[in-house]
Amino acid sequence: MNANQTLCYKVSDGMLCRFCKSANTVKNGTTKNKKQQYLCKQCGKRFIEHYTYRAYRPYINKQIVTLTKEGLGIRSIARVLAVSATTILKRIIAIARTVAKPAISKGKTYEVDEINTFIKRKSKKIWIAYALERASKTVVNFRIGARTNKTLNYVLKTLTHSNAKQIYTDGLKNYKYLIDQKIHRVTRYGTNHIERNNLTLRTHLKRLNRKTICFSRSLVVLAAVLKIYFWG
């Protein structure tokens, strides 16, 4: 090498990495939309300076949860956030998978009831059976299905394992065979709290309204929305 020649090293292009905040980044080609892409030499991840697709924004999932709890439908959320309805559906299902059931305390009093809705069309009626802890007003478990012993028993097993002190229900005969008579109660005002919660559900979630054109097209999405609403 000649004495007049010098070695040049490209250290950085001046962009901070979106992931590790390192300045050790270099240009790394362009995307299909002709946007400059960068490579982080620190963490090895690629990124672009400005994302025009709103779904990539870090707070988008939090907004989806908030709007879902406020009763907006899939298309309404898509319009508000300027994100495609397909992306909203995928995000809701993905978010629901990360939501865990609340811890159940032992020796509590519960109310159990069912609320009906439909999937795709009004002829396809389906029931949401769930249990409400009376003191905290927390929904401890729910199940979507036909109004049968199998659906109800899925909810009641959780209460049995928690050594429920008392379980209040309406006069549905199925409960007689599924709940121990020592803790089962059927009284006039025994299910006041959960009946009021049913009204709140129908008010907050359009897909559960009695007279509306909004409805659930998929059982998976309905379960995901309820999971986010109850525990998200």
Side-chain angles (χ1 to χ4, degrees), residues 55-207:
Y56 282 108
R57 296 183 179 182
Y59 55 82
I60 203 76
N61 282 5
K62 187 183 246 183
Q63 287 188 323
I64 290 174
V65 170
T66 301
L67 295 175
T68 299
K69 288 185 173 184
E70 288 298 322
L72 271 69
I74 301 298
R75 295 186 184 279
S76 299
I77 297 174
R79 286 193 297 271
V80 171
L81 300 181
V83 178
S84 72
T86 302
T87 299
I88 298 297
L89 282 170
K90 290 179 179 178
R91 289 290 180 90
I92 285 177
I93 294 172
I95 292 169
R97 287 174 184 160
T98 65
V99 176
K101 291 181 182 179
I104 302 176
S105 303
K106 297 198 175 204
K108 298 292 184 178
T109 299
Y110 299 93
E111 297 178 17
V112 180
D113 198 16
E114 324 83 47
I115 181 173
N116 68 310
T117 182
F118 56 94
I119 301 291
K120 291 186 178 179
R121 61 180 72 91
K122 290 191 176 180
S123 60
K124 286 192 173 184
K125 186 178 285 189
I126 202 162
W127 295 83
I128 303 166
Y130 71 102
L132 185 80
E133 202 273 293
R134 177 176 281 186
S136 64
K137 309 297 188 298
T138 302
V139 174
V140 296
N141 200 6
F142 76 92
R143 183 73 165 184
I144 304 173
R147 203 181 192 186
T148 60
N149 289 353
K150 183 179 179 180
T151 303
L152 299 175
N153 201 37
Y154 179 88
V155 177
L156 294 171
K157 274 184 178 179
T158 304
L159 310 185
T160 304
H161 293 159
S162 66
N163 297 326
K165 183 179 179 181
Q166 290 179 332
I167 300 176
Y168 287 86
T169 69
D170 55 18
L172 187 68
K173 63 180 181 179
N174 301 59
Y175 292 119
K176 290 182 181 180
Y177 313 105
L178 299 174
I179 306 175
D180 189 346
Q181 293 182 1
K182 294 179 182 178
I183 60 173
H184 187 204
R185 300 287 183 272
V186 181
T187 60
R188 185 175 181 182
Y189 301 110
T191 57
N192 272 11
H193 297 88
I194 198 167
E195 291 288 355
R196 181 60 182 82
N197 197 68
N198 289 345
L199 177 59
T200 302
L201 275 172
R202 293 194 185 280
T203 303
H204 287 180
L205 300 180
K206 283 184 179 180
R207 63 185 66 238

Side-chain angles (χ1 to χ4, degrees), residues 34-45:
K34 304 302 180 183
K35 294 179 183 177
Q36 182 62 57
Q37 187 170 252
Y38 295 87
L39 171 67
C40 177
K41 297 260 182 149
Q42 186 70 27
C43 65
K45 293 184 179 180

Side-chain angles (χ1 to χ4, degrees), residues 3-69:
N4 295 331
Q5 290 181 335
T6 57
L7 292 175
C8 296
Y9 294 94
K10 191 173 186 180
V11 177
S12 174
D13 281 315
M15 283 293 301
L16 289 178
C17 176
R18 296 174 60 91
F19 304 98
C20 68
K21 307 304 180 184
S22 171
N24 188 13
T25 60
V26 293
K27 290 181 179 179
N28 189 249
T30 59
T31 65
K32 291 181 180 179
N33 296 329
K34 304 302 180 183
K35 294 179 183 177
Q36 182 62 57
Q37 187 170 252
Y38 295 87
L39 171 67
C40 177
K41 297 260 182 149
Q42 186 70 27
C43 65
K45 293 184 179 180
R46 290 180 174 84
F47 63 95
I48 61 177
E49 184 175 1
H50 298 293
Y51 287 91
T52 55
Y53 189 48
R54 295 175 181 267
Y56 282 108
R57 296 183 179 182
Y59 55 82
I60 203 76
N61 282 5
K62 187 183 246 183
Q63 287 188 323
I64 290 174
V65 170
T66 301
L67 295 175
T68 299
K69 288 185 173 184

